[in-house]
C-alpha cells in the first residue's frame, strides 16, 4: 500500500489522550460530583455524631442561639473536628461544599493553561481571585 493511502492508526486505549474540551468537561463534572458526595458524607457523619450525643436534649425554641464563635472561622472548625464534635464535622462538610466550585475554577485555570488559551486563563484567574477573597477574606477567616 502506498504511504498516502495508509489507514489512520487508532490511539492505544491506555495512552494519555490530549487535553480537549470534552475531557476537561468530564474531569470538571467528576470533580463537582465527588466534592458534593464527600461533603454530604462529612455532614452525614457529623449529624450522626451530633444526634448520638444530643438526641435526648429538649429543644428550646423560645430563645434564638446563634452558632458558637468557634464555628465562624476555618481554624475554629478544624479544631472542633479534631476534638471530635459533631457540629464541627457538619460545618466542615459545608465548607467542603462551598470549596467545591472554587476547586472547579482552579482546575479550569490549569485546563486552560494546558490548552494554551491565555485569554480564558486570565478571566478564570480573576474569577478565582474573587472567589478566594470572598471565601477567605470576607469574615470566615482563617
Amino acid at each position: 500500500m502506498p504511504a498516502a493511502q495508509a489507514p489512520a492508526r487508532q490511539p492505544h486505549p491506555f495512552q494519555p489522550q490530549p487535553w480537549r474540551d470534552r475531557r476537561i468537561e468530564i474531569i470538571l463534572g467528576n470533580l463537582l460530583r465527588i466534592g458534593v458526595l464527600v461533603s454530604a458524607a462529612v455532614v452525614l457523619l457529623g449529624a450522626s455524631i451530633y444526634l448520638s450525643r444530643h438526641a435526648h436534649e429538649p429543644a428550646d425554641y423560645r430563645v434564638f442561639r446563634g452558632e458558637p464563635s468557634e464555628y465562624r472561622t476555618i481554624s475554629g472548625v478544624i479544631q472542633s473536628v479534631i476534638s471530635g464534635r459533631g457540629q464541627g464535622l457538619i460545618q466542615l462538610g459545608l465548607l467542603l461544599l462551598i470549596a467545591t466550585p472554587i476547586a472547579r475554577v482552579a482546575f479550569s485555570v490549569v485546563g486552560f493553561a494546558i490548552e494554551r488559551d491565555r485569554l480564558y486563563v486570565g478571566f478564570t484567574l480573576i474569577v478565582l481571585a474573587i472567589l478566594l477573597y470572598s471565601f477567605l477574606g470576607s469574615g470566615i477567616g482563617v
Side-chain angles (χ1 to χ4, degrees):
M1 220 189 270
Q5 295 178 1
R9 298 176 80 183
Q10 295 294 326
H12 192 271
F14 297 112
Q15 283 181 330
Q17 296 184 7
W19 287 85
R20 294 201 174 101
D21 289 341
R22 179 74 179 138
R23 184 173 178 208
I24 291 175
E25 288 175 9
I26 290 171
I27 292 171
L28 289 175
N30 288 334
L31 176 70
L32 291 174
R33 188 176 300 113
I34 290 169
V36 168
L37 290 175
V38 167
S39 66
V42 171
V43 167
L44 184 63
L45 177 65
S48 299
I49 291 171
Y50 182 79
L51 285 176
S52 69
R53 294 179 182 165
H54 302 282
H56 300 292
E57 293 177 6
D60 183 17
Y61 296 114
R62 293 181 187 183
V63 178
F64 175 76
R65 292 181 193 91
E67 64 185 22
S69 61
E70 66 188 36
Y71 299 122
R72 295 182 188 168
T73 63
I74 295 174
S75 60
V77 170
I78 292 172
Q79 288 175 356
S80 176
V81 169
I82 291 171
S83 64
R85 294 191 189 133
Q87 281 182 310
L89 276 169
I90 293 170
Q91 289 289 95
L92 179 64
L94 295 176
L95 286 175
L96 289 174
L97 186 64
I98 293 169
T100 298
I102 296 173
R104 180 203 189 280
V105 173
F107 183 79
S108 296
V109 170
V110 173
F112 291 136
I114 289 172
E115 290 182 342
R116 294 188 172 101
D117 193 344
R118 289 186 280 177
L119 181 65
Y120 280 107
V121 168
F123 286 136
T124 310
L125 281 172
I126 292 170
V127 170
L128 182 62
I130 293 169
L131 286 171
L132 287 174
Y133 174 74
S134 66
F135 186 63
L136 298 174
S138 67
I140 291 178
V142 177

